[in-house]
Amino acid sequence: MLEFDQELARDLEVIKHQALLRRLSRVDSAQGTCLRMEGCELLSFASNDYLGLAADAALKEAARQAVQEYGAGSGASRLLCGSLAPHHTLEEALAAFKQTQAALSFGSGWAAALGAIGSLISRNDVLILDRLAHACLVDAARLTGAKLRVFAHNDLADLEALLQWAVARRADQGVESHARPMRILIVTESVFSMDGDVAPLVPMVELKDRYGAWLMVDEAHATGLYGPRRCGVIESLGLGGRIEVQMGTLGKAVGAAGGYIAGSRLLRDLLVNRARPFIFSTAPVPAAAAAAQIGLDLIQGERGARLTRLLWERVAQFEEAAGRIPLHRSSPGASPIVPVIVGDEQRALAAAAALRAEGIYVPAIRYPTVQRGKARLRVTLTAAHTAAEVERLASELTKVLG
Ligand SMILES: *Cc1c(COP(=O)(O)O)cnc(C)c1O
């Protein structure tokens, strides 16, 4: 055991030497804009709880009622011990929200990505990913053993070149009598988690149609925020019927936890049969499903309209107040994720520490979450922040980075 620990200590030393060591900061309060973190009251600009629903009274009450009626645990996989009603009502609500034929929920967005990509793609297929695609999409792609190609971030010309390559490969392969045709799946996020910019989905859909590929879009940071019903970027662009696989999480704007895939009824049926994280994992607790369903309800109603209006106001306010700070924005107001690129890992840590000393919590994001040398402070704004709080953030940031 001693040798084992010594070896791990050496691994950790390497991580630390690169200014990449991470540790957990204990919080003794609910998630929200004010955190009690390691004994300090901090104003947080870190969470993905964009609408402030994580600690909302209605979601908490839904979770409480689900515990009362269905218990704390879920017993086993849904295929094994029966599929609890809260998961079904959630999935019906998700399909109605996304305006798809069906949806399937998972324990997390991560599990949804693994399940969907793994069910659709196998070794002889081709997967084409945006360079900045989330780790779960990359890991899911790797697990399939398919040929993996990466296009420069949001670069349509690069994507098209890869599609041409893939189509040529498909033609070369031909179709052996017993095998299905080679599949080409493009995977992207709609709003990118660490850069906060938006994928050019309209031309991407045209490209994938032209080359006979499929498209999977991860709306983790878009669900609840974009479009007339806050359904996501896909809705805002009117692309609903044209994208094969929509995925997302219930743990960000929706305010609960879990992940989902939305699409055709046959996609759902296939996932129930093939998605390993669905089949071989205990179902999410009923409380999470019930809270997520209420989160979806709120988002689509008057409350959601008001909260998103507030959120976009805060984003605009911050962009304006940040003044001289070089915000990393592709277009103003693109998303509530506003990265401040610092570059050097050590410098990003120092900036985050300086802010924390002033009572503001903004995480320093480093490799491997982002590329080396692209370390940043990742500011996320929420509808729960007040104008005064956003003002305070901008002024402290200016001091720290100015
Ligand atoms: C957070 C996130 C996920 C994973 O969702 P979880 O429910 O947290 O597992 C997937 N994709 C993107 C882009 C994310 O930011």
Side-chain angles (χ1 to χ4, degrees), residues 209-259:
D209 282 345
R210 185 159 357 123
Y211 288 93
W214 294 343
L215 179 61
M216 171 166 169
V217 178
D218 180 352
E219 295 240 71
H221 295 275
T223 299
L225 306 184
Y226 298 77
R229 293 179 309 112
R230 277 77 64 192
C231 183
V233 174
I234 292 173
E235 185 202 16
S236 78
L237 298 173
L239 293 173
R242 300 184 61 192
I243 291 170
E244 284 78 9
V245 187
Q246 301 189 36
M247 83 161 257
T249 176
L250 303 167
K252 288 168 182 159
V254 181

Short mmCIF file of all heavy atoms in Angstrom, two decimals, residues 209-259:
data_model
loop_
_atom_site.label_atom_id
_atom_site.label_comp_id
_atom_site.label_asym_id
_atom_site.label_seq_id
_atom_site.Cartn_x
_atom_site.Cartn_y
_atom_site.Cartn_z
N ASP A 209 -27.19 17.15 -44.35
CA ASP A 209 -28.17 16.64 -45.30
C ASP A 209 -27.51 16.37 -46.66
O ASP A 209 -27.74 15.34 -47.28
CB ASP A 209 -29.33 17.63 -45.48
CG ASP A 209 -30.31 17.57 -44.31
OD1 ASP A 209 -30.25 16.58 -43.55
OD2 ASP A 209 -31.12 18.51 -44.15
N ARG A 210 -26.66 17.32 -47.06
CA ARG A 210 -26.03 17.19 -48.36
C ARG A 210 -25.15 15.94 -48.42
O ARG A 210 -25.05 15.28 -49.44
CB ARG A 210 -25.22 18.45 -48.68
CG ARG A 210 -24.63 18.44 -50.05
CD ARG A 210 -24.25 19.83 -50.64
NE ARG A 210 -24.57 20.97 -49.82
CZ ARG A 210 -23.65 21.87 -49.42
NH1 ARG A 210 -22.39 21.72 -49.74
NH2 ARG A 210 -24.03 22.90 -48.70
N TYR A 211 -24.48 15.63 -47.31
CA TYR A 211 -23.52 14.51 -47.33
C TYR A 211 -24.08 13.23 -46.73
O TYR A 211 -23.36 12.26 -46.54
CB TYR A 211 -22.23 14.93 -46.60
CG TYR A 211 -21.42 15.92 -47.41
CD1 TYR A 211 -21.58 17.28 -47.22
CD2 TYR A 211 -20.54 15.48 -48.39
CE1 TYR A 211 -20.86 18.20 -47.97
CE2 TYR A 211 -19.82 16.38 -49.16
CZ TYR A 211 -19.99 17.75 -48.94
OH TYR A 211 -19.29 18.63 -49.69
N GLY A 212 -25.36 13.24 -46.41
CA GLY A 212 -25.95 12.02 -45.87
C GLY A 212 -25.38 11.63 -44.52
O GLY A 212 -25.15 10.45 -44.24
N ALA A 213 -25.14 12.63 -43.68
CA ALA A 213 -24.66 12.36 -42.33
C ALA A 213 -25.79 12.61 -41.33
O ALA A 213 -26.85 13.13 -41.70
CB ALA A 213 -23.46 13.25 -42.02
N TRP A 214 -25.57 12.22 -40.09
CA TRP A 214 -26.52 12.51 -39.01
C TRP A 214 -25.92 13.58 -38.11
O TRP A 214 -24.69 13.74 -38.06
CB TRP A 214 -26.78 11.27 -38.16
CG TRP A 214 -27.47 10.16 -38.88
CD1 TRP A 214 -28.17 10.24 -40.06
CD2 TRP A 214 -27.53 8.78 -38.46
NE1 TRP A 214 -28.67 8.99 -40.39
CE2 TRP A 214 -28.29 8.09 -39.43
CE3 TRP A 214 -27.03 8.07 -37.37
CZ2 TRP A 214 -28.55 6.72 -39.34
CZ3 TRP A 214 -27.28 6.71 -37.27
CH2 TRP A 214 -28.04 6.05 -38.25
N LEU A 215 -26.79 14.28 -37.40
CA LEU A 215 -26.31 15.34 -36.51
C LEU A 215 -26.86 15.14 -35.10
O LEU A 215 -28.06 14.90 -34.91
CB LEU A 215 -26.74 16.71 -37.06
CG LEU A 215 -26.35 17.95 -36.23
CD1 LEU A 215 -24.83 18.07 -36.10
CD2 LEU A 215 -26.92 19.22 -36.87
N MET A 216 -25.95 15.23 -34.12
CA MET A 216 -26.35 15.19 -32.71
C MET A 216 -25.93 16.51 -32.08
O MET A 216 -24.78 16.91 -32.19
CB MET A 216 -25.65 14.02 -32.02
CG MET A 216 -25.82 14.01 -30.51
SD MET A 216 -25.32 12.39 -29.85
CE MET A 216 -25.29 12.77 -28.10
N VAL A 217 -26.87 17.17 -31.43
CA VAL A 217 -26.60 18.49 -30.84
C VAL A 217 -26.82 18.44 -29.33
O VAL A 217 -27.90 18.06 -28.86
CB VAL A 217 -27.49 19.58 -31.48
CG1 VAL A 217 -27.22 20.93 -30.83
CG2 VAL A 217 -27.24 19.66 -32.98
N ASP A 218 -25.80 18.82 -28.60
CA ASP A 218 -25.84 18.86 -27.14
C ASP A 218 -26.28 20.26 -26.71
O ASP A 218 -25.54 21.23 -26.90
CB ASP A 218 -24.45 18.51 -26.60
CG ASP A 218 -24.38 18.52 -25.08
OD1 ASP A 218 -25.36 18.93 -24.44
OD2 ASP A 218 -23.33 18.11 -24.54
N GLU A 219 -27.46 20.34 -26.14
CA GLU A 219 -28.02 21.64 -25.73
C GLU A 219 -27.89 21.86 -24.22
O GLU A 219 -28.73 22.56 -23.62
CB GLU A 219 -29.49 21.74 -26.16
CG GLU A 219 -29.67 21.76 -27.68
CD GLU A 219 -30.35 23.02 -28.17
OE1 GLU A 219 -29.72 24.10 -28.14
OE2 GLU A 219 -31.53 22.92 -28.55
N ALA A 220 -26.85 21.30 -23.63
CA ALA A 220 -26.68 21.39 -22.17
C ALA A 220 -26.79 22.83 -21.67
O ALA A 220 -27.44 23.10 -20.65
CB ALA A 220 -25.33 20.79 -21.75
N HIS A 221 -26.16 23.77 -22.38
CA HIS A 221 -26.16 25.16 -21.92
C HIS A 221 -27.18 26.02 -22.65
O HIS A 221 -27.13 27.24 -22.56
CB HIS A 221 -24.75 25.76 -22.07
CG HIS A 221 -23.76 25.08 -21.18
ND1 HIS A 221 -23.58 25.43 -19.86
CD2 HIS A 221 -22.94 24.04 -21.41
CE1 HIS A 221 -22.68 24.63 -19.32
NE2 HIS A 221 -22.28 23.77 -20.24
N ALA A 222 -28.07 25.40 -23.40
CA ALA A 222 -29.05 26.17 -24.16
C ALA A 222 -30.48 25.87 -23.71
O ALA A 222 -31.35 26.74 -23.78
CB ALA A 222 -28.90 25.87 -25.65
N THR A 223 -30.71 24.65 -23.25
CA THR A 223 -32.05 24.27 -22.81
C THR A 223 -32.51 25.19 -21.69
O THR A 223 -31.82 25.37 -20.71
CB THR A 223 -32.04 22.81 -22.32
OG1 THR A 223 -31.65 21.98 -23.41
CG2 THR A 223 -33.40 22.37 -21.81
N GLY A 224 -33.67 25.80 -21.88
CA GLY A 224 -34.21 26.70 -20.86
C GLY A 224 -33.93 28.16 -21.15
O GLY A 224 -34.48 29.03 -20.47
N LEU A 225 -33.08 28.44 -22.14
CA LEU A 225 -32.63 29.82 -22.32
C LEU A 225 -32.97 30.44 -23.68
O LEU A 225 -33.14 31.64 -23.77
CB LEU A 225 -31.12 29.90 -22.12
CG LEU A 225 -30.57 29.34 -20.80
CD1 LEU A 225 -29.08 29.60 -20.72
CD2 LEU A 225 -31.28 29.94 -19.59
N TYR A 226 -33.02 29.65 -24.73
CA TYR A 226 -33.16 30.21 -26.08
C TYR A 226 -34.49 29.80 -26.70
O TYR A 226 -35.02 28.73 -26.38
CB TYR A 226 -32.03 29.72 -27.00
CG TYR A 226 -30.65 30.14 -26.55
CD1 TYR A 226 -30.02 29.48 -25.52
CD2 TYR A 226 -29.98 31.21 -27.16
CE1 TYR A 226 -28.75 29.85 -25.09
CE2 TYR A 226 -28.72 31.58 -26.75
CZ TYR A 226 -28.11 30.91 -25.71
OH TYR A 226 -26.86 31.28 -25.30
N GLY A 227 -34.96 30.63 -27.61
CA GLY A 227 -36.18 30.29 -28.35
C GLY A 227 -37.42 30.81 -27.65
O GLY A 227 -37.39 31.12 -26.47
N PRO A 228 -38.53 30.89 -28.41
CA PRO A 228 -39.77 31.45 -27.86
C PRO A 228 -40.28 30.70 -26.63
O PRO A 228 -40.91 31.29 -25.76
CB PRO A 228 -40.77 31.32 -29.02
CG PRO A 228 -40.02 30.87 -30.21
CD PRO A 228 -38.62 30.55 -29.83
N ARG A 229 -40.03 29.37 -26.59
CA ARG A 229 -40.46 28.62 -25.41
C ARG A 229 -39.26 28.19 -24.56
O ARG A 229 -39.35 27.26 -23.78
CB ARG A 229 -41.28 27.39 -25.83
CG ARG A 229 -42.64 27.77 -26.47
CD ARG A 229 -43.41 26.53 -26.89
NE ARG A 229 -42.55 25.66 -27.70
CZ ARG A 229 -42.12 24.47 -27.29
NH1 ARG A 229 -42.49 23.98 -26.14
NH2 ARG A 229 -41.32 23.77 -28.07
N ARG A 230 -38.14 28.84 -24.79
CA ARG A 230 -36.92 28.56 -24.01
C ARG A 230 -36.45 27.12 -24.17
O ARG A 230 -35.85 26.51 -23.29
CB ARG A 230 -37.11 28.87 -22.52
CG ARG A 230 -36.92 30.32 -22.14
CD ARG A 230 -38.06 31.21 -22.49
NE ARG A 230 -39.29 30.90 -21.79
CZ ARG A 230 -40.47 31.41 -22.10
NH1 ARG A 230 -40.58 32.30 -23.07
NH2 ARG A 230 -41.55 31.06 -21.45
N CYS A 231 -36.74 26.55 -25.34
CA CYS A 231 -36.45 25.14 -25.56
C CYS A 231 -34.99 24.92 -25.91
O CYS A 231 -34.40 23.89 -25.59
CB CYS A 231 -37.36 24.70 -26.71
SG CYS A 231 -37.25 23.02 -27.09
N GLY A 232 -34.37 25.91 -26.54
CA GLY A 232 -32.96 25.79 -26.89
C GLY A 232 -32.65 26.49 -28.19
O GLY A 232 -33.54 27.10 -28.81
N VAL A 233 -31.39 26.42 -28.62
CA VAL A 233 -30.98 27.07 -29.87
C VAL A 233 -31.68 26.41 -31.06
O VAL A 233 -32.06 27.08 -32.02
CB VAL A 233 -29.45 27.02 -30.03
CG1 VAL A 233 -29.03 27.56 -31.39
CG2 VAL A 233 -28.77 27.82 -28.92
N ILE A 234 -31.86 25.10 -30.98
CA ILE A 234 -32.53 24.39 -32.08
C ILE A 234 -33.91 24.98 -32.32
O ILE A 234 -34.30 25.25 -33.46
CB ILE A 234 -32.62 22.88 -31.75
CG1 ILE A 234 -31.22 22.25 -31.75
CG2 ILE A 234 -33.55 22.15 -32.73
CD1 ILE A 234 -31.17 20.82 -31.28
N GLU A 235 -34.65 25.23 -31.25
CA GLU A 235 -35.97 25.85 -31.39
C GLU A 235 -35.85 27.26 -31.96
O GLU A 235 -36.60 27.65 -32.86
CB GLU A 235 -36.71 25.91 -30.05
CG GLU A 235 -38.13 26.45 -30.21
CD GLU A 235 -38.74 27.04 -28.96
OE1 GLU A 235 -38.02 27.34 -27.99
OE2 GLU A 235 -39.97 27.23 -28.96
N SER A 236 -34.89 28.01 -31.44
CA SER A 236 -34.78 29.42 -31.87
C SER A 236 -34.46 29.51 -33.36
O SER A 236 -34.78 30.50 -33.99
CB SER A 236 -33.73 30.16 -31.02
OG SER A 236 -32.44 29.83 -31.45
N LEU A 237 -33.84 28.48 -33.92
CA LEU A 237 -33.51 28.49 -35.35
C LEU A 237 -34.53 27.71 -36.19
O LEU A 237 -34.36 27.58 -37.40
CB LEU A 237 -32.11 27.89 -35.57
CG LEU A 237 -30.95 28.64 -34.89
CD1 LEU A 237 -29.65 27.87 -35.04
CD2 LEU A 237 -30.80 30.04 -35.48
N GLY A 238 -35.54 27.18 -35.52
CA GLY A 238 -36.57 26.43 -36.25
C GLY A 238 -36.06 25.14 -36.87
O GLY A 238 -36.51 24.72 -37.93
N LEU A 239 -35.10 24.48 -36.21
CA LEU A 239 -34.48 23.28 -36.79
C LEU A 239 -35.00 21.98 -36.20
O LEU A 239 -34.48 20.90 -36.51
CB LEU A 239 -32.96 23.35 -36.60
CG LEU A 239 -32.23 24.45 -37.36
CD1 LEU A 239 -30.77 24.52 -36.95
CD2 LEU A 239 -32.35 24.23 -38.87
N GLY A 240 -36.01 22.09 -35.33
CA GLY A 240 -36.46 20.93 -34.56
C GLY A 240 -36.58 19.63 -35.34
O GLY A 240 -36.04 18.61 -34.94
N GLY A 241 -37.28 19.67 -36.47
CA GLY A 241 -37.54 18.43 -37.19
C GLY A 241 -36.35 17.91 -37.98
O GLY A 241 -36.42 16.84 -38.57
N ARG A 242 -35.26 18.65 -38.01
CA ARG A 242 -34.19 18.30 -38.94
C ARG A 242 -32.94 17.73 -38.27
O ARG A 242 -31.95 17.44 -38.94
CB ARG A 242 -33.82 19.53 -39.77
CG ARG A 242 -35.02 20.03 -40.57
CD ARG A 242 -34.68 21.19 -41.46
NE ARG A 242 -33.67 20.86 -42.46
CZ ARG A 242 -33.04 21.77 -43.19
NH1 ARG A 242 -33.32 23.05 -43.03
NH2 ARG A 242 -32.13 21.41 -44.07
N ILE A 243 -32.97 17.58 -36.97
CA ILE A 243 -31.79 17.10 -36.25
C ILE A 243 -32.10 15.73 -35.66
O ILE A 243 -33.09 15.56 -34.94
CB ILE A 243 -31.37 18.13 -35.19
CG1 ILE A 243 -30.83 19.38 -35.92
CG2 ILE A 243 -30.33 17.56 -34.22
CD1 ILE A 243 -30.60 20.57 -35.06
N GLU A 244 -31.26 14.76 -35.98
CA GLU A 244 -31.56 13.38 -35.60
C GLU A 244 -31.58 13.18 -34.09
O GLU A 244 -32.45 12.49 -33.55
CB GLU A 244 -30.53 12.42 -36.23
CG GLU A 244 -30.74 12.16 -37.73
CD GLU A 244 -30.25 13.30 -38.62
OE1 GLU A 244 -29.60 14.24 -38.11
OE2 GLU A 244 -30.52 13.25 -39.84
N VAL A 245 -30.58 13.75 -33.40
CA VAL A 245 -30.45 13.47 -31.96
C VAL A 245 -30.25 14.77 -31.20
O VAL A 245 -29.29 15.51 -31.44
CB VAL A 245 -29.24 12.55 -31.67
CG1 VAL A 245 -29.22 12.14 -30.20
CG2 VAL A 245 -29.24 11.32 -32.57
N GLN A 246 -31.18 15.06 -30.28
CA GLN A 246 -31.02 16.21 -29.40
C GLN A 246 -30.69 15.69 -28.01
O GLN A 246 -31.34 14.77 -27.53
CB GLN A 246 -32.30 17.03 -29.33
CG GLN A 246 -32.77 17.56 -30.68
CD GLN A 246 -33.94 18.54 -30.52
OE1 GLN A 246 -34.00 19.31 -29.58
NE2 GLN A 246 -34.87 18.49 -31.46
N MET A 247 -29.68 16.28 -27.39
CA MET A 247 -29.40 15.86 -26.02
C MET A 247 -29.27 17.07 -25.12
O MET A 247 -29.16 18.21 -25.58
CB MET A 247 -28.15 14.98 -25.93
CG MET A 247 -26.83 15.72 -25.88
SD MET A 247 -25.48 14.68 -25.25
CE MET A 247 -25.31 15.29 -23.57
N GLY A 248 -29.30 16.82 -23.82
CA GLY A 248 -29.09 17.90 -22.88
C GLY A 248 -29.05 17.37 -21.46
O GLY A 248 -29.09 16.15 -21.24
N THR A 249 -28.96 18.30 -20.54
CA THR A 249 -28.93 17.93 -19.13
C THR A 249 -30.12 18.56 -18.43
O THR A 249 -30.66 19.58 -18.88
CB THR A 249 -27.61 18.40 -18.49
OG1 THR A 249 -27.66 18.09 -17.09
CG2 THR A 249 -27.38 19.88 -18.65
N LEU A 250 -30.50 17.96 -17.34
CA LEU A 250 -31.56 18.52 -16.49
C LEU A 250 -30.94 19.21 -15.29
O LEU A 250 -31.63 19.66 -14.38
CB LEU A 250 -32.50 17.40 -16.05
CG LEU A 250 -33.13 16.63 -17.22
CD1 LEU A 250 -33.79 15.34 -16.76
CD2 LEU A 250 -34.14 17.52 -17.95
N GLY A 251 -29.61 19.30 -15.29
CA GLY A 251 -28.89 19.80 -14.13
C GLY A 251 -28.44 21.25 -14.25
O GLY A 251 -27.83 21.78 -13.34
N LYS A 252 -28.71 21.90 -15.36
CA LYS A 252 -28.27 23.29 -15.53
C LYS A 252 -29.49 24.20 -15.39
O LYS A 252 -30.02 24.31 -14.29
CB LYS A 252 -27.46 23.42 -16.81
CG LYS A 252 -26.10 22.72 -16.58
CD LYS A 252 -25.24 22.47 -17.77
CE LYS A 252 -23.97 21.74 -17.30
NZ LYS A 252 -23.29 21.03 -18.37
N ALA A 253 -29.96 24.82 -16.47
CA ALA A 253 -31.09 25.75 -16.31
C ALA A 253 -32.33 25.06 -15.73
O ALA A 253 -33.12 25.69 -15.04
CB ALA A 253 -31.42 26.41 -17.65
N VAL A 254 -32.49 23.78 -15.99
CA VAL A 254 -33.71 23.09 -15.52
C VAL A 254 -33.72 22.96 -13.99
O VAL A 254 -34.77 22.80 -13.38
CB VAL A 254 -33.87 21.71 -16.22
CG1 VAL A 254 -35.13 20.99 -15.76
CG2 VAL A 254 -33.90 21.89 -17.73
N GLY A 255 -32.56 23.04 -13.38
CA GLY A 255 -32.51 23.16 -11.92
C GLY A 255 -32.48 21.86 -11.13
O GLY A 255 -32.49 21.88 -9.90
N ALA A 256 -32.46 20.70 -11.81
CA ALA A 256 -32.47 19.44 -11.06
C ALA A 256 -31.21 18.64 -11.37
O ALA A 256 -30.10 19.13 -11.17
CB ALA A 256 -33.74 18.67 -11.40
N ALA A 257 -31.36 17.42 -11.82
CA ALA A 257 -30.22 16.59 -12.22
C ALA A 257 -30.72 15.52 -13.16
O ALA A 257 -31.88 15.13 -13.11
CB ALA A 257 -29.56 15.96 -11.00
N GLY A 258 -29.83 15.04 -14.01
CA GLY A 258 -30.18 14.02 -14.98
C GLY A 258 -29.85 14.50 -16.38
O GLY A 258 -29.44 15.65 -16.57
N GLY A 259 -30.01 13.62 -17.35
CA GLY A 259 -29.76 14.00 -18.74
C GLY A 259 -30.88 13.44 -19.61
O GLY A 259 -31.70 12.66 -19.12
#
